Amino acid sequence: MSNEYRHVLVAVDLTKDSHKVLERAIPIARRNNAKLSIIHTLEPLGFAYGGDIPMDLTSIQDQLDEHAKERLADIADPHDIAREDQHVVVGMPDTEIHRFSKEHNVDLIVVGSHGRHGFALLLGSTSTGVLHGAQCDVLAVRVGNDDEAAE
Ligand code: AMP
């Protein structure tokens, strides 16, 4: 049995594509006898509204966090991924995925990647952001075109 990877991190956006990305990562983790963690990042509410809202957004952020945890569990529980290995963090996906990877000695990050063209290609993507600056291997699982709406 190969032991090339010891900790595989799967990043999911909670769309239906997440299943495909996770199902590609699981056999790799099993073959390598590696730990498997799954992560979803939530954009900070203040960030989305320009940080200018004169109200405390903490309780709304907490509710969003709770909701994301439930949706992540719906995806991860059927694959027997322990709740302690299911992570919801607040921040930008590439930054947080890199931070988590460094802090937890992740040696393979698995992300989904849409076939892009036109403006979407120019705007870049989460998978590109994750690839740039990653200090470990990154596997981009093709999850269909942007035209084929995910969700
Ligand atoms: P792309 O289509 O290249 O933008 O990348 C989509 C992939 O990036 C998804 O399949 C996930 O693997 C990852 N991703 C996008 N948004 C998030 C998020 N909020 N949290 C974690 N991973 C994400």
Side-chain angles (χ1 to χ4, degrees):
M1 180 180 293
S2 131
N3 272 66
E4 196 176 345
Y5 297 119
R6 280 161 303 167
H7 191 176
V8 176
L9 176 66
V10 186
V12 291
D13 55 10
L14 302 180
T15 65
K16 66 176 170 46
D17 292 337
S18 308
H19 298 281
K20 188 169 177 190
V21 180
L22 183 56
E23 279 160 17
R24 192 57 73 88
I26 286 172
I28 297 172
R30 290 222 176 104
R31 274 203 300 278
N32 286 271
N33 209 12
K35 178 182 174 71
L36 188 139
S37 301
I38 187 165
I39 191 168
H40 174 71
T41 68
L42 275 178
E43 194 171 313
L45 265 185
F47 204 79
Y49 292 98
D52 275 347
I53 299 185
M55 62 186 277
D56 185 4
L57 297 172
T58 317
S59 76
I60 304 173
Q61 186 81 58
D62 286 349
Q63 283 176 41
L64 289 174
D65 195 78
E66 215 32 64
H67 183 59
K69 280 184 178 149
E70 284 167 17
R71 292 181 64 196
L72 185 60
D74 286 344
I75 292 166
D77 283 354
H79 295 281
D80 293 327
I81 299 169
R83 289 287 172 102
E84 68 207 41
D85 297 324
Q86 303 176 16
H87 303 272
V88 172
V89 296
V90 176
M92 300 308 291
D94 47 357
T95 309
E96 295 309 319
I97 290 165
H98 289 151
R99 188 200 311 276
F100 183 95
S101 300
K102 229 188 267 179
E103 286 175 4
H104 295 85
N105 297 317
V106 168
D107 44 17
L108 176 67
I109 302 169
V110 184
V111 290
S113 181
H114 296 97
R116 282 197 163 88
H117 46 81
F119 279 121
L121 183 62
L122 288 175
L123 286 173
S125 65
T126 307
S127 51
T128 308
V130 170
L131 181 60
H132 292 162
Q135 296 189 349
C136 64
D137 290 0
V138 177
L139 172 64
V141 177
R142 185 66 183 265
V143 287
N145 296 324
D146 270 357
D147 313 349
E148 305 159 13
E151 181 78 349

